[in-house]
Each structure stands twice: as structure tokens, then as C-alpha cells.
CSV table of all heavy atoms in Angstrom, one decimal:
chain,number,residue,atom,x,y,z
A,1,ASP,N,4.9,-5.9,16.8
A,1,ASP,CA,4.1,-4.7,16.6
A,1,ASP,C,5.0,-3.5,16.4
A,1,ASP,O,5.7,-3.1,17.4
A,1,ASP,CB,3.1,-4.5,17.7
A,1,ASP,CG,2.1,-3.4,17.4
A,1,ASP,OD1,2.3,-2.6,16.4
A,1,ASP,OD2,1.1,-3.2,18.2
A,2,VAL,N,5.0,-2.9,15.2
A,2,VAL,CA,5.9,-1.7,15.0
A,2,VAL,C,5.0,-0.5,14.5
A,2,VAL,O,5.4,0.3,13.8
A,2,VAL,CB,7.0,-2.0,13.9
A,2,VAL,CG1,7.9,-3.1,14.4
A,2,VAL,CG2,6.3,-2.5,12.6
A,3,SER,N,3.8,-0.5,15.0
A,3,SER,CA,2.9,0.6,14.7
A,3,SER,C,3.5,2.0,15.0
A,3,SER,O,4.2,2.1,16.0
A,3,SER,CB,1.5,0.5,15.4
A,3,SER,OG,0.9,-0.7,15.1
A,4,ALA,N,3.2,3.0,14.2
A,4,ALA,CA,3.8,4.3,14.4
A,4,ALA,C,3.5,4.9,15.7
A,4,ALA,O,4.3,5.7,16.3
A,4,ALA,CB,3.4,5.2,13.3
A,5,ALA,N,2.4,4.6,16.3
A,5,ALA,CA,2.0,5.2,17.6
A,5,ALA,C,2.8,4.6,18.8
A,5,ALA,O,2.8,5.2,19.9
A,5,ALA,CB,0.5,4.9,17.8
A,6,ARG,N,3.5,3.5,18.6
A,6,ARG,CA,4.3,2.9,19.6
A,6,ARG,C,5.6,3.7,19.8
A,6,ARG,O,6.1,4.3,18.9
A,6,ARG,CB,4.6,1.5,19.3
A,6,ARG,CG,3.4,0.5,19.2
A,6,ARG,CD,3.8,-0.9,19.2
A,6,ARG,NE,4.5,-1.2,20.5
A,6,ARG,CZ,3.8,-1.6,21.6
A,6,ARG,NH1,2.5,-1.8,21.6
A,6,ARG,NH2,4.5,-1.9,22.7
A,7,ARG,N,6.1,3.6,21.1
A,7,ARG,CA,7.4,4.2,21.4
A,7,ARG,C,8.5,3.4,20.9
A,7,ARG,O,9.6,3.8,20.7
A,7,ARG,CB,7.5,4.5,22.8
A,7,ARG,CG,6.4,5.4,23.4
A,7,ARG,CD,6.5,5.6,24.9
A,7,ARG,NE,7.6,6.6,25.2
A,7,ARG,CZ,7.8,7.0,26.4
A,7,ARG,NH1,7.2,6.5,27.4
A,7,ARG,NH2,8.8,7.9,26.6
A,8,GLY,N,8.2,2.1,20.7
A,8,GLY,CA,9.2,1.1,20.2
A,8,GLY,C,8.6,-0.2,19.9
A,8,GLY,O,7.4,-0.4,20.3
A,9,PRO,N,9.3,-1.1,19.2
A,9,PRO,CA,8.7,-2.4,18.8
A,9,PRO,C,8.5,-3.2,20.0
A,9,PRO,O,9.2,-3.2,21.0
A,9,PRO,CB,9.7,-3.0,17.8
A,9,PRO,CG,11.0,-2.3,18.1
A,9,PRO,CD,10.6,-0.9,18.6
A,10,ALA,N,7.4,-4.1,19.9
A,10,ALA,CA,7.1,-5.0,21.0
A,10,ALA,C,6.4,-6.2,20.5
A,10,ALA,O,5.7,-6.2,19.4
A,10,ALA,CB,6.2,-4.3,22.1
A,11,LEU,N,6.6,-7.4,21.1
A,11,LEU,CA,5.9,-8.6,20.7
A,11,LEU,C,4.4,-8.5,21.0
A,11,LEU,O,4.0,-8.0,22.0
A,11,LEU,CB,6.5,-9.8,21.4
A,11,LEU,CG,8.0,-10.2,21.0
A,11,LEU,CD1,8.5,-11.3,22.0
A,11,LEU,CD2,8.0,-10.7,19.6
A,12,CYS,N,3.6,-9.0,20.0
A,12,CYS,CA,2.2,-9.0,20.2
A,12,CYS,C,1.8,-10.1,21.2
A,12,CYS,O,2.4,-11.2,21.2
A,12,CYS,CB,1.5,-9.2,18.9
A,12,CYS,SG,1.7,-7.9,17.7
A,13,GLY,N,0.7,-9.9,21.9
A,13,GLY,CA,0.1,-10.9,22.7
A,13,GLY,C,-0.8,-11.7,21.9
A,13,GLY,O,-1.1,-11.4,20.8
A,14,PRO,N,-1.4,-12.8,22.5
A,14,PRO,CA,-2.3,-13.7,21.8
A,14,PRO,C,-3.5,-13.0,21.2
A,14,PRO,O,-3.9,-13.3,20.1
A,14,PRO,CB,-2.6,-14.8,22.8
A,14,PRO,CG,-1.5,-14.8,23.8
A,14,PRO,CD,-1.0,-13.3,23.8
A,15,ASP,N,-4.1,-12.1,22.0
A,15,ASP,CA,-5.3,-11.4,21.6
A,15,ASP,C,-5.0,-10.5,20.4
A,15,ASP,O,-5.8,-10.4,19.4
A,15,ASP,CB,-5.9,-10.6,22.7
A,15,ASP,CG,-6.5,-11.5,23.8
A,15,ASP,OD1,-6.7,-12.7,23.5
A,15,ASP,OD2,-6.6,-11.1,24.9
A,16,GLU,N,-3.9,-9.8,20.5
A,16,GLU,CA,-3.5,-8.9,19.4
A,16,GLU,C,-3.2,-9.6,18.1
A,16,GLU,O,-3.5,-9.1,17.0
A,16,GLU,CB,-2.2,-8.1,19.8
A,16,GLU,CG,-2.4,-7.2,21.0
A,16,GLU,CD,-1.1,-6.6,21.4
A,16,GLU,OE1,-0.3,-7.3,22.0
A,16,GLU,OE2,-0.8,-5.4,21.1
A,17,ALA,N,-2.7,-10.8,18.2
A,17,ALA,CA,-2.3,-11.6,17.0
A,17,ALA,C,-3.5,-12.4,16.4
A,17,ALA,O,-3.3,-12.9,15.3
A,17,ALA,CB,-1.2,-12.6,17.4
A,18,GLN,N,-4.6,-12.4,17.0
A,18,GLN,CA,-5.7,-13.2,16.6
A,18,GLN,C,-6.1,-12.9,15.1
A,18,GLN,O,-6.4,-13.8,14.3
A,18,GLN,CB,-6.9,-13.1,17.5
A,18,GLN,CG,-8.0,-14.2,17.3
A,18,GLN,CD,-7.4,-15.6,17.5
A,18,GLN,OE1,-6.6,-15.9,18.4
A,18,GLN,NE2,-7.8,-16.5,16.6
A,19,ALA,N,-6.3,-11.7,14.8
A,19,ALA,CA,-6.7,-11.3,13.4
A,19,ALA,C,-5.7,-11.8,12.4
A,19,ALA,O,-6.1,-12.3,11.3
A,19,ALA,CB,-6.9,-9.8,13.3
A,20,VAL,N,-4.4,-11.6,12.7
A,20,VAL,CA,-3.4,-12.1,11.7
A,20,VAL,C,-3.5,-13.6,11.6
A,20,VAL,O,-3.3,-14.1,10.5
A,20,VAL,CB,-2.0,-11.7,12.2
A,20,VAL,CG1,-0.9,-12.2,11.3
A,20,VAL,CG2,-1.9,-10.1,12.2
A,21,ARG,N,-3.7,-14.3,12.7
A,21,ARG,CA,-3.8,-15.8,12.6
A,21,ARG,C,-5.0,-16.2,11.7
A,21,ARG,O,-4.9,-17.1,10.9
A,21,ARG,CB,-4.0,-16.4,14.0
A,21,ARG,CG,-3.0,-16.0,15.1
A,21,ARG,CD,-1.6,-16.4,14.8
A,21,ARG,NE,-0.7,-16.1,15.9
A,21,ARG,CZ,0.5,-15.8,15.8
A,21,ARG,NH1,1.1,-15.7,14.5
A,21,ARG,NH2,1.3,-15.5,16.8
A,22,ARG,N,-6.1,-15.4,11.7
A,22,ARG,CA,-7.2,-15.7,10.9
A,22,ARG,C,-6.8,-15.5,9.4
A,22,ARG,O,-7.2,-16.3,8.5
A,22,ARG,CB,-8.4,-14.9,11.2
A,22,ARG,CG,-9.1,-15.3,12.5
A,22,ARG,CD,-10.5,-14.7,12.7
A,22,ARG,NE,-10.4,-13.2,12.7
A,22,ARG,CZ,-10.3,-12.5,13.8
A,22,ARG,NH1,-10.2,-13.0,15.0
A,22,ARG,NH2,-10.3,-11.1,13.7
A,23,HIS,N,-6.1,-14.5,9.1
A,23,HIS,CA,-5.6,-14.2,7.7
A,23,HIS,C,-4.7,-15.3,7.2
A,23,HIS,O,-4.8,-15.7,6.1
A,23,HIS,CB,-4.9,-12.8,7.7
A,23,HIS,CG,-5.8,-11.7,8.1
A,23,HIS,ND1,-5.3,-10.5,8.5
A,23,HIS,CD2,-7.1,-11.6,8.2
A,23,HIS,CE1,-6.3,-9.6,8.8
A,23,HIS,NE2,-7.4,-10.3,8.6
A,24,LEU,N,-3.8,-15.8,8.1
A,24,LEU,CA,-2.9,-16.8,7.7
A,24,LEU,C,-3.7,-18.1,7.5
A,24,LEU,O,-3.4,-18.9,6.5
A,24,LEU,CB,-1.8,-17.0,8.7
A,24,LEU,CG,-0.8,-15.9,8.9
A,24,LEU,CD1,0.2,-16.2,10.0
A,24,LEU,CD2,-0.1,-15.5,7.6
A,25,ALA,N,-4.7,-18.4,8.3
A,25,ALA,CA,-5.5,-19.6,8.1
A,25,ALA,C,-6.3,-19.5,6.8
A,25,ALA,O,-6.4,-20.5,6.0
A,25,ALA,CB,-6.5,-19.7,9.3
A,26,ALA,N,-6.8,-18.3,6.4
A,26,ALA,CA,-7.5,-18.1,5.1
A,26,ALA,C,-6.5,-18.4,4.0
A,26,ALA,O,-6.9,-19.0,3.0
A,26,ALA,CB,-8.1,-16.7,5.0
A,27,LEU,N,-5.3,-17.9,4.1
A,27,LEU,CA,-4.3,-18.1,3.0
A,27,LEU,C,-3.9,-19.6,2.9
A,27,LEU,O,-3.8,-20.1,1.8
A,27,LEU,CB,-3.0,-17.3,3.3
A,27,LEU,CG,-1.9,-17.4,2.4
A,27,LEU,CD1,-2.3,-17.1,1.0
A,27,LEU,CD2,-0.7,-16.6,2.8
């Protein structure tokens, strides 16, 4: 996660990554 609101990059947890996983499954 490198969102502008963050103070620095951080690894996403499972819940944060769920939407992206759905997009990859659709692809």
C-alpha cells in the first residue's frame, strides 16, 4: 500500500487485499 495518505509504504493485510484478489479472479 503506497496511498498518498500513508506516511510510508506498508504491506497490505488480508482484509485490505480482498478487493484486489476479486479483480485478479475476474481477470
Side-chain angles (χ1 to χ4, degrees):
D1 188 351
V2 295
S3 299
R6 298 194 62 87
R7 303 180 75 177
L11 289 173
C12 292
D15 293 339
E16 299 172 283
Q18 192 59 40
V20 175
R21 307 298 184 214
R22 288 196 298 269
H23 299 160
L24 296 179
L27 178 58

